[in-house]
Amino acid sequence: MSRTLLHLDSSILGDHSVSRQVSAAIVARLTAADPSLRVVYRDLAADPLPHATPASMPADHPLSGGKGDAASQQALDDFLAADIVVVGAPMYNFSVPTQLRAWIDRILVPGKTFAYGADGAVEGLAKGKRVVVALARGGSYADPSFAAAAEHAETYLRWVFGFIGVEPEFIVAEGIAAGRREAALEGALKSAAELKAA
């Protein structure tokens, strides 16, 4: 039975987007290594999910009252069915785009991707998935003190996926708005081409 790769993009910049170019290169690398991979693509900028309300959540979410929104349920179902998830994630204003955040709101569902134990401890239920994030940042975050204060994209995504039992991998292109766009893109594409296939 073939495995499924879910490919998500969230940049609003279209063909000018670095994260889109890098996420496409990651998918190309993984599908070249395993041509049987079935790819499901979602452009979260072109076809955004609405901001979260009880009515807009997946039917599987307790807030929806069992009704929920079909597109939101599909987003959750696609994530649950995926063996590999590739996320194109630019950093906007020190965090992830609202379009990506809206998707995350659909996949953090108690009883589906995480559960609370009797003692209140969290168990991630999405273990076994591989998540690879193509992260693009305008500035440079090499200074640990600056990164700790201002970097809320990679740190947020590490925490969110870790919460549901997944340790994400990152390919980062940074300094894009600080005169290092071409070098950053070249380095990230090289990393994508060398990405471990399995």
Side-chain angles (χ1 to χ4, degrees):
M1 186 175 178
S2 65
R3 298 186 304 154
T4 299
L5 185 156
L6 175 61
H7 178 192
L8 305 166
D9 277 320
S10 59
S11 170
I12 62 174
L13 299 180
D15 292 342
H16 189 65
S17 164
V18 168
S19 67
R20 285 177 182 269
Q21 292 179 65
V22 177
S23 75
I26 293 168
V27 172
R29 164 64 176 156
L30 296 175
T31 54
D34 182 0
S36 72
L37 275 176
R38 182 177 77 92
V39 177
V40 175
Y41 180 70
R42 176 153 195 159
D43 187 329
L44 298 171
D47 185 21
L49 293 159
H51 289 294
T53 64
S56 74
M57 298 306 283
D60 285 342
H61 198 291
L63 287 176
S64 74
K67 298 176 183 177
D69 175 72
S72 293
Q73 185 63 45
Q74 188 63 57
L76 174 61
D77 290 345
D78 287 345
F79 176 75
L80 293 174
D83 301 285
I84 304 170
V85 182
V86 175
V87 182
M91 187 163 90
Y92 293 160
N93 300 318
F94 308 105
S95 187
V96 298
T98 59
Q99 294 90 341
L100 180 56
R101 172 57 198 268
W103 177 81
I104 290 168
D105 285 338
R106 274 39 180 216
I107 69 162
L108 265 62
V109 177
K112 292 294 181 178
T113 56
F114 72 94
Y116 290 107
D119 60 354
V122 175
E123 178 188 1
L125 303 179
K127 298 181 182 78
K129 293 185 186 298
R130 183 182 188 188
V131 174
V132 186
V133 179
L135 180 66
R137 300 191 285 229
S140 174
Y141 292 81
D143 179 338
S145 61
F146 178 64
E151 207 295 326
H152 306 294
E154 180 178 352
T155 51
Y156 171 67
L157 293 172
R158 281 191 190 280
W159 175 261
V160 163
F161 285 114
F163 182 78
I164 60 174
V166 179
E167 185 175 344
E169 304 165 52
F170 285 83
I171 293 179
V172 179
E174 67 176 11
I176 294 163
R180 295 189 293 279
R181 177 188 172 89
E182 293 308 316
L185 177 57
E186 181 181 350
L189 292 175
K190 183 174 184 292
S191 295
E194 296 170 350
L195 187 68
K196 182 180 69 173

